[in-house]
Amino acid sequence: MISGWLLSGVEDANGGRRAAVERSAVGDYFGGISAVFSGLALILLVITLLFQQRELRMQRQELSLQRQELISSRQELRRSARADLRALHIQLTQMAMEDPTLASVWNDYPGEPPEVVRQNLFANLTFGHYLLFYEWGDITEEELLEYARTLLRSPLFHRYWEASRGAKEGLSPDSHEGRLFRIFEQAISEFQRSGAPSPP
């Protein structure tokens, strides 16, 4: 009863029941508009999230490309440094070949005459030449095996190989030089299995 009396008093104070019904209709109208704006806001939020997701995906792709470029440039720098070291080694070997007193500093072939030392140093340069090709991927292992068969037919190269085998046997089997050593050893094994005499 008290609630009814209070509601009736509120209606009378605000223009009666009719005015209240009209105001209620206006409120419902604005409520509908508010629902429309809420829906639009939700759609805009979803669109914003989709755009952000796309931007994040593009940023990840860009970072991946930058990482690949850094890896490629690092590999190129390492390759260039190896080439520089190889060039320095060739220069030092040439100096040792020209001057027997310098070759004795390395002491790779003790007791050998200067002519044999020069031949062994040149054979080592030849081995390094094929190693460089192998490291750079410019030659296959099948091609290297054929070159090894040809080189090992030379008595002078075979002599160098026998003199340097002990130093090469300790190479890591996972390194390019270690794998190349085993390719040359395979060529020697083929000579032995075929019954062909090894070069003197």
Side-chain angles (χ1 to χ4, degrees):
M1 288 176 60
I2 294 172
S3 297
W5 180 72
L6 288 173
L7 287 173
S8 176
V10 170
E11 288 175 355
D12 291 340
N14 289 285
R17 185 179 295 274
R18 178 176 226 142
V21 170
E22 290 176 357
R23 289 193 184 98
S24 177
V26 172
D28 291 341
Y29 173 77
F30 281 108
I33 293 176
S34 176
V36 170
F37 278 111
S38 297
L40 289 175
L42 179 62
I43 292 172
L44 289 173
L45 178 62
V46 171
I47 292 173
T48 301
L49 290 174
L50 289 174
F51 273 115
Q52 287 179 347
Q53 185 180 16
R54 181 183 174 189
E55 288 178 3
L56 286 173
R57 186 166 52 248
M58 292 175 65
Q59 287 177 356
R60 281 196 298 268
Q61 291 174 351
E62 186 176 349
L63 287 172
S64 177
L65 290 173
Q66 289 178 354
R67 188 163 48 247
Q68 291 175 359
E69 289 177 2
L70 285 173
I71 291 172
S72 297
S73 63
R74 194 180 304 124
Q75 290 174 344
E76 189 60 33
L77 285 172
R78 191 178 295 117
R79 181 172 171 172
S80 177
R82 281 200 303 264
D84 290 341
L85 284 173
R86 184 77 61 189
L88 178 60
H89 178 261
I90 291 172
Q91 183 180 0
L92 291 172
T93 303
Q94 288 175 337
M95 293 170 63
M97 290 169 64
E98 293 169 0
D99 188 348
T101 60
L102 295 179
S104 62
V105 173
W106 280 350
N107 199 32
D108 287 337
Y109 311 102
E112 296 288 351
E115 180 182 359
V116 172
V117 172
R118 281 196 297 270
Q119 291 168 345
N120 285 346
L121 290 174
F122 182 78
N124 187 59
L125 282 180
T126 305
F127 179 79
H129 172 73
Y130 288 114
L131 175 61
L132 190 60
F133 275 134
Y134 187 35
E135 287 178 348
W136 287 2
D138 295 333
I139 192 169
T140 64
E141 292 192 359
E142 290 76 15
E143 291 172 327
L144 283 171
L145 182 59
E146 190 57 38
Y147 284 123
R149 291 170 182 147
T150 302
L151 283 171
L152 288 166
R153 290 190 187 101
S154 163
L156 299 181
F157 189 88
H158 196 273
R159 181 186 62 197
Y160 151 76
W161 192 256
E162 292 298 325
S164 61
R165 173 183 274 142
K168 289 181 169 58
E169 283 177 339
L171 294 169
S172 169
D174 296 328
S175 66
H176 285 94
E177 192 171 1
R179 290 197 292 269
L180 185 59
F181 166 73
R182 279 150 187 81
I183 289 172
F184 275 76
E185 286 292 292
Q186 179 182 343
I188 291 177
S189 298
E190 289 177 359
F191 276 125
Q192 293 171 349
R193 284 197 304 268
S194 67
S198 297

